[in-house]
Amino acid sequence: QKEVEQDPGPLSVPEGAIVSLNCTYSNSAFQYFMWYRQYSRKGPELLMYTYSSGNKEDGRFTAQVDKSSKYISLFIRDSQPSDSATYLCAMSAATGRRALTFGSGTRLQVQP
Amino acid sequence: NAGVTQTPKFQVLKTGQSMTLQCAQDMNHNSMYWYRQDPGMGLRLIYYSASEGTTDKGEVPNGYNVSRLNKREFSLRLESAAPSQTSVYFCASSVGGAENTEAFFGQGTRLTVV
């Protein structure tokens, strides 16, 4: 079983919809949680960064972390066609190896 | 802003050939990483360097070697390429330390081994 599980999609929504993307994980040592966006044939770019549990909001994006359930979410409000990309969750521990462990990514398509 | 620069962007190798993927960052980051990305597998860590002078194996190190040449540069070498190493390779860097784990990525190297 993978340490980080993510539904690969694809997820297709109409423009203006609220999008919910999720990951579950099994390693209780993970403390830092990130969401990356990756456009086709490009490198991943950091979208949101959260430490431990709680919510973080940045414009149309909200990241939530529930450590008790080992579950993280990314919400996109008022989705736009330009949001069409693959979204990767990533996480790391606070001690030991701090390299990121990634989910497999969810492909999102926002239809105009 | 250059950020993380990878060369080459594309490469085709024959089975058994060797090559080195180059990576350089200009953000004065301490930690650098090599990942490979395959369909449905996400990004998997090959090797990482927590700081200049140190390297450690990641999740899928077999068939690869790395060199942290200096603080800026981290190279990945395939000694004898195999078709299973066909993938997109990403280099990344981060500040390092307990509270700075977010990584910044290069644009990738698409490698095909025939």
Side-chain angles (χ1 to χ4, degrees):
Chain A
Q1 187 181 359
K2 294 180 182 178
E3 276 191 300
V4 181
E5 298 280 357
Q6 185 175 8
D7 187 333
L11 180 62
S12 183
V13 301
E15 183 175 354
I18 296 174
V19 176
S20 172
L21 303 166
N22 311 292
C23 288
T24 58
Y25 64 95
S26 58
N27 188 344
S28 57
F30 288 148
Q31 296 279 353
Y32 300 94
F33 304 92
M34 280 141 271
W35 286 94
Y36 283 82
R37 178 175 61 196
Q38 185 177 24
Y39 292 113
S40 181
R41 296 185 170 266
K42 299 291 186 183
E45 56 178 335
L46 181 66
L47 202 57
M48 299 287 284
Y49 174 81
T50 312
Y51 170 69
S52 195
S53 287
N55 296 357
K56 185 173 183 178
E57 188 173 319
D58 184 1
R60 297 185 296 111
F61 299 91
T62 299
Q64 289 185 350
V65 175
D66 181 350
K67 289 187 65 182
S68 62
S69 302
K70 295 189 177 68
Y71 187 87
I72 70 170
S73 301
L74 177 71
F75 298 95
I76 306 174
R77 291 183 298 282
D78 187 24
S79 56
Q80 302 295 310
S82 58
D83 294 327
S84 298
T86 296
Y87 290 79
L88 300 138
C89 63
M91 45 200 80
S92 68
T95 59
R97 191 179 87 183
R98 299 195 185 100
L100 297 174
T101 300
F102 282 84
S104 56
T106 300
R107 189 156 60 91
L108 171 67
Q109 184 72 37
V110 181
Q111 304 291 344
Chain B
N1 294 335
V4 178
T5 303
Q6 292 182 235
T7 54
K9 288 186 171 52
F10 303 93
Q11 184 71 48
V12 178
L13 286 180
K14 293 182 179 179
T15 299
Q17 285 185 318
S18 63
M19 79 161 295
T20 299
L21 281 64
Q22 306 287 353
C23 176
Q25 53 91 7
D26 63 1
M27 295 176 281
N28 200 34
H29 285 172
N30 293 303
S31 301
M32 298 185 73
Y33 314 87
W34 278 105
Y35 288 87
R36 60 178 288 173
Q37 187 174 35
D38 302 292
M41 302 292 289
L43 287 133
R44 292 182 293 168
L45 183 68
I46 305 171
Y47 270 93
Y48 69 103
S49 171
S51 60
E52 187 179 356
T54 69
T55 59
D56 286 286
K57 294 178 181 179
E59 187 183 350
V60 288
N62 291 346
Y64 305 95
N65 284 302
V66 291
S67 295
R68 183 75 183 265
L69 304 169
N70 48 53
K71 191 172 185 179
R72 289 186 65 247
E73 298 172 288
F74 189 38
S75 63
L76 178 72
R77 183 160 179 83
L78 287 70
E79 290 291 351
S80 179
S84 60
Q85 295 178 305
T86 293
S87 188
V88 182
Y89 291 86
F90 287 101
C91 177
S93 70
S94 67
V95 171
E99 297 184 1
N100 292 283
T101 61
E102 66 268 43
F104 299 87
F105 285 80
Q107 290 301 294
T109 296
R110 291 184 173 273
L111 175 67
T112 302
V113 183
V114 297

